[in-house]
Each structure stands twice: as structure tokens, then as C-alpha cells.
Amino acid sequence: MAHCLRAGAAALVLALCGAGSSAQAFENPLALLFGGGGSRVSYGDAHLSGDYGSGTRSVVEDPTRSRPGTITVDTRNRYLYLSMNDGHAIRYGVGVGRPGFTWRGHTHIGRKESWPNWTPPSAMLRRRPDLPRHMVGGANNPLGARAMYLYSGKRDTMFRIHGSNEPWTIGQGVSSGCIRMMNGDVTDLYNRVKVGTNVNVL
């Protein structure tokens, strides 16, 4: 979906996370250049149909051995795992950052939105003046049916786990660092987790 600019790495890390341990939690300093939704909007889930509603999820033995309820994103193999109580996990296929935009860190879900709006940040608009200044939630919105906003402490990292209006990109490395899911999958995950859920991106 949206594209980021490749500049000002160190300054962006400090601007994003502040000094100290929060800044060290993320290895991709380009986070500030990806922006996302805001207000909750009403949009019927009847639109979760066809390719947009299909899913990749399956129950597998949990390779992460994480505490139940933890989300782990395996960016190399392009899977997201939600750990369960019995040594199993729900595994979803995901799209991840393209080369130069991958990152690793320990975050948590700081906010959730259904059919989120999207507002590209100014840095992105300077590079892509063709982008809309604001897009309301809906089938054409690049954030898809649901978005979970990843935070470090009280700071928004500007990365999201979100749906997609480009389902063919799932399993690919094409994003600006956000974790993309099929709309059916992201809706399933959204319904299973709450604000405060730990998210480990590997």
C-alpha cells in the first residue's frame, strides 16, 4: 500500500520513540513515514466477501512457545501466530515490509479500529502527491476491514496490523513496514485480541 521515504533514519528513531529503551525497540526508523487511520466509521461487514473475506488461518503447534494471547509475527516466513492455551496457535498468512522496510521489536496493541480511516503523513504526501489527503474507511481503503495500532509504551509506532484491499499481496514483502492480512483473517484476529495485547515482531 503506502510508500515511505528513505531518509533521516537516526532522527526518526528518536522522534518516534524518544531517547532510551523505547527507541531501541525498533530496528526500522522509517516508522514515522507511514500513517494510518483515525475515526471509527460505519461500514457493513457484508463487504467481507469473495477474495476479501477468504482466510489463510489454521491451528498449528505453537512454534513461538509464547504466553497465551501473545501475537508473534515471523517476518521471514510471513506468518502471524496468536498463541493459545494448549500449546497451539492460530497461524495466519501475512504480508510484510519490502526490503529496506522490515523491522523487529516488542510492541503492544494500543488501539483498534473497525473499517479505519487513513490519513497519509506529510512526508509521504511529499513523495506521493497523488495520494488522497484523507480516505474514509471502506472497501477501497488500504487499511482494509480492521486495524490494530502498534504502540511502544504510550507512543504510536505508526506501524499497524491491518487488512488489505490487495489480497494478492499476502505472503509478499511489499508494505512500508505494516503487517497486512486478508480482511477475513484480520477480522478474526481483531475479534480475538484486546487493547494491551503483546506483539512481538521477529
Side-chain angles (χ1 to χ4, degrees):
M1 43 165 287
H3 302 286
C4 293
L5 297 173
R6 302 172 181 266
L12 286 175
V13 168
L14 293 176
L16 173 64
C17 300
S21 60
S22 294
Q24 297 170 3
F26 300 94
E27 295 187 2
N28 181 354
L30 301 171
L32 277 178
L33 301 182
F34 177 80
S39 304
R40 183 188 182 96
V41 298
S42 176
Y43 194 81
D45 283 349
H47 290 268
L48 291 173
S49 61
D51 286 342
Y52 297 101
S54 60
T56 66
R57 57 193 176 275
S58 60
V59 176
V60 299
E61 289 190 14
D62 188 357
T64 74
R65 300 184 179 181
S66 298
R67 174 180 292 185
T70 301
I71 291 173
T72 303
V73 181
D74 177 352
T75 57
R76 180 175 181 180
N77 295 303
R78 295 165 187 170
Y79 287 121
L80 180 151
Y81 295 91
L82 176 62
S83 297
M84 301 166 65
N85 288 313
D86 58 357
H88 288 79
I90 303 175
R91 185 182 71 185
Y92 308 84
V94 296
V96 299
R98 63 186 184 272
F101 292 86
T102 57
W103 60 280
R104 292 180 289 180
H106 303 287
T107 67
H108 66 273
I109 295 173
R111 184 161 63 93
K112 298 168 57 181
E113 293 290 343
S114 175
W115 295 108
N117 295 347
W118 179 55
T119 302
S122 57
M124 187 184 300
L125 289 171
R126 285 194 294 272
R127 182 172 185 250
R128 291 283 312 278
D130 58 303
L131 291 175
R133 270 43 183 176
H134 181 77
M135 184 177 284
V136 298
N140 294 323
N141 191 299
L143 294 183
R146 303 289 186 271
M148 287 157 276
Y149 298 75
L150 302 183
Y151 279 60
S152 176
K154 295 183 178 180
R155 297 179 182 272
D156 186 349
T157 68
M158 306 306 283
F159 290 121
R160 288 84 174 88
I161 299 171
H162 64 79
S164 178
N165 61 356
E166 298 177 333
W168 55 89
T169 64
I170 303 307
Q172 306 298 315
V174 295
S175 81
S176 298
C178 286
I179 309 304
R180 298 183 180 187
M181 303 179 73
M182 300 288 288
N183 277 339
D185 283 344
V186 78
T187 301
D188 181 79
L189 179 65
Y190 180 100
N191 291 336
R192 294 177 185 274
V193 300
K194 60 186 179 180
V195 171
T197 294
N198 289 323
V199 180
N200 299 320
V201 178
L202 308 177

